[in-house]
Amino acid sequence: MDLLRPFANSEEASCLNRGSSLRLQMAHWHILMNPDTAPLTRYLESQLPGTLKWLQRLVRVNSFTMNRQGVNHVVTLTEEMFASLGFISERVPSENTDYGDHLFLSRQGKGKRNPVVLVTHSDTVFPEAEELRENFTWKEEGDRIYGPGTVDNKGGTALIWLMLHGLRETAPEVFDSTHWIIAANASEEVTASDFGRLTRQRCPDGAHVVLVFEGGIRSGNDYQIVVARKGRAEFVVQSVGRAAHAGSNLHEGVNAIVSLSRCIEPMAALTDPGQEVTLNIATIHGGTVLNRVPHEAELAFEMRAYEPTVLDQAKAQVVEILRKLNPPDGSLTLQCNGRTPAWPSDDSTHGLSRYWQTAAEELGLTISPTKRGGLSDANYLAGLGPMLDGMGPSGGNAHCSERNPDADKWPEFVDPQSFAPKAAINVLALLKALPLT
């Protein structure tokens, strides 16, 4: 595809005009930059209209995780996006047949090092009915672009496209010598685990670098990257009591809800900022009708921590709480319904992040490494190779569709001004992480 061809319709022209205005708004950035980086930044800014055009096409397709056809439409567009860069496509059906296909795009380099894995996802959390109800679609307003997936994570896919074009333009020998894999998860929003296994299978000797293109927070000229994510364990506490007539024989019953309620406060108190562990009581269900002592109740909760040992200790404390509060004539039992591994920081991650910090300094910007409690594909790829997350553009309100300015409610948006600076940081950092051999 010719990156500079005239746009075919008014919507594409809108992207072009936006790109032009953004270059004017970003003029201050050039004052801060090292002149040696100017060719790269000018090129990236010139490609911003094309980047936003691709993003618009992706956003206009509903790709709710359960919308298999929509997710696969996004996969097709992603294949088309990267074909001109020489990437070969491989689709792999999800283990859950309700989900779309995982996508692996590869470009075999001339060098011998392990692949560089660039991670994104094709699905969003928004059902089509919700998008229609909230009139939630691509909207350019002021310095924001609103729409489903604009920052989570179709914006990440678009930034990969921009970054790779910048690398090919300014350092073609590095681009050509590198084995690239773009891995796009079909079901990231439901934390399905098969994508992680499939990605590892395509890197049998590990990866040289793993970059996850979830959105990265920006404050002025400071950009955050993620160097660790918490692991999560999901649990259910089941309470079994004894039914009885609430009017005639209340004393003969054992109230399963009351037994369960005694656990809530001590369990919630296990949240400990010092240990960076959280416990969230999420749902409680129980009982049937007003005139019956409830004989069953259930409580669901999750725990998160950066260190697996901390998560194990918190679970042991829950078990002890339930043991102490178990009623004589009833029972409280704990069941684990799933566990997502943590991605703890290590020396390889910190070493990699220093390349990004140095690259940002060369551009007159700063990088701030941070840890996040939320999950991403990084949780399932920990240990595959030195890894960083938050490589995507800046934005906000991910997973939100409601627009109510009176209540200060705004839907998901991306900051288009963040694309070129973030791509420039990524390109310069990769040049440091991928020296020619």
Side-chain angles (χ1 to χ4, degrees):
M1 177 181 293
D2 182 356
L3 301 179
L4 301 179
R5 70 170 178 82
F7 290 96
N9 56 48
S10 59
E11 289 179 346
E12 295 178 1
S14 173
C15 288
L16 179 59
N17 293 334
R18 168 171 287 277
S20 300
S21 64
L22 286 176
R23 284 196 289 276
L24 293 175
Q25 294 174 35
M26 295 169 64
H28 70 282
W29 184 35
H30 293 289
I31 298 173
L32 300 173
M33 289 187 301
N34 182 333
D36 293 339
T37 66
L40 169 63
T41 57
R42 281 197 298 266
Y43 177 79
L44 291 171
E45 289 177 12
S46 76
Q47 301 310 305
L48 184 58
T51 304
L52 297 182
K53 175 200 163 188
W54 276 117
L55 178 58
Q56 184 183 60
R57 292 182 67 186
L58 293 171
V59 169
R60 287 192 178 278
V61 178
N62 176 272
S63 59
F64 177 52
T65 307
M66 298 296 292
N67 180 3
R68 186 175 185 276
Q69 183 177 0
V71 170
N72 285 343
H73 188 177
V74 168
V75 168
T76 298
L77 287 175
T78 306
E79 291 172 323
E80 184 182 342
M81 283 178 72
F82 291 95
S84 65
L85 286 169
F87 280 83
I88 305 301
S89 174
E90 177 191 10
R91 293 188 183 211
V92 182
S94 295
E95 288 183 354
N96 186 327
T97 56
D98 291 331
Y99 304 154
D101 295 339
H102 301 303
L103 175 64
F104 297 93
L105 299 170
S106 61
R107 190 182 192 280
Q108 187 68 50
K110 301 174 183 177
K112 296 182 179 180
R113 65 167 61 95
N114 289 337
V116 173
V117 182
L118 311 174
V119 184
T120 184
H121 61 89
S122 305
D123 63 328
T124 73
V125 299
F126 305 105
E128 187 172 17
E130 179 181 346
E131 292 183 7
L132 293 172
R133 182 181 69 247
E134 301 294 341
N135 190 25
F136 184 39
T137 185
W138 177 277
K139 290 182 181 178
E140 303 178 37
E141 296 181 8
D143 58 356
R144 295 178 174 182
I145 299 176
Y146 295 93
T150 46
V151 73
D152 185 19
N153 200 52
K154 295 171 182 179
T157 302
L159 201 139
I160 293 173
W161 183 90
L162 178 62
M163 179 193 78
L164 289 178
H165 276 86
L167 190 62
R168 184 181 67 170
E169 175 70 16
T170 58
E173 66 285 355
V174 174
F175 178 79
D176 288 334
S177 68
T178 303
H179 178 191
W180 303 98
I181 296 177
I182 300 171
N185 191 348
S187 53
E188 191 271 350
E189 296 294 2
V190 295
T191 62
S193 61
D194 57 330
F195 174 76
R197 295 194 301 272
L198 291 166
T199 304
R200 291 178 184 276
Q201 289 171 10
R202 282 145 185 82
C203 307
D205 298 319
H208 186 72
V209 172
V210 181
L211 301 178
V212 182
F213 280 77
E214 292 289 325
I217 296 173
R218 176 173 78 97
S219 177
N221 288 322
D222 181 72
Y223 291 77
Q224 288 188 6
I225 60 173
V226 181
V227 295
R229 286 189 180 270
K230 285 183 176 181
R232 178 175 72 171
E234 305 166 38
F235 296 94
V236 169
V237 178
Q238 293 177 327
S239 175
V240 177
R242 184 188 303 121
H245 192 289
S248 304
N249 301 303
L250 180 68
H251 63 283
E252 294 181 2
V254 177
N255 193 310
I257 293 177
V258 172
S259 298
L260 196 62
S261 68
R262 297 190 182 104
C263 309
I264 293 174
E265 189 170 350
M267 286 171 55
L270 295 177
T271 292
D272 182 357
Q275 290 286 317
E276 297 183 304
V277 61
T278 59
L279 188 150
N280 180 53
I281 307 292
T283 63
I284 301 175
H285 302 283
T288 54
V289 293
L290 288 176
N291 63 350
R292 183 185 189 191
V293 175
H295 66 292
E296 291 181 338
E298 184 176 278
L299 176 154
F301 71 96
E302 64 149 43
M303 298 189 301
R304 301 194 189 209
Y306 290 110
E307 296 297 332
T309 55
V310 173
L311 210 54
D312 291 338
Q313 291 168 2
K315 177 185 176 183
Q317 290 175 294
V318 170
V319 170
E320 181 62 14
I321 289 170
L322 298 181
R323 185 190 68 78
K324 289 181 177 180
L325 296 177
N326 227 337
D329 298 323
S331 67
L332 297 170
T333 59
L334 181 69
Q335 175 180 317
C336 181
N337 283 349
R339 188 157 178 164
T340 303
W343 168 39
S345 295
D346 59 19
D347 291 342
S348 68
T349 293
H350 290 301
L352 192 61
S353 71
R354 283 193 285 272
Y355 291 137
W356 263 255
Q357 291 172 294
T358 301
E361 290 172 3
E362 293 176 3
L363 292 161
L365 307 171
T366 58
I367 282 286
S368 295
T370 187
K371 299 190 290 186
R372 283 191 192 171
L375 307 178
S376 83
D377 286 315
N379 291 84
Y380 291 103
L381 298 176
L384 181 61
M387 182 163 59
L388 295 174
D389 199 346
M391 296 289 102
S394 302
N397 300 345
H399 295 198
C400 300
S401 67
E402 185 178 359
R403 177 187 290 260
N404 185 347
D406 293 338
D408 198 26
K409 293 181 178 180
W410 298 94
E412 178 179 335
F413 70 90
V414 73
D415 172 12
Q417 296 183 57
S418 68
F419 277 88
K422 194 64 173 288
I425 295 171
N426 291 345
V427 168
L428 293 179
L430 281 170
L431 292 178
K432 302 175 190 303
L434 300 171
L436 290 173
T437 56

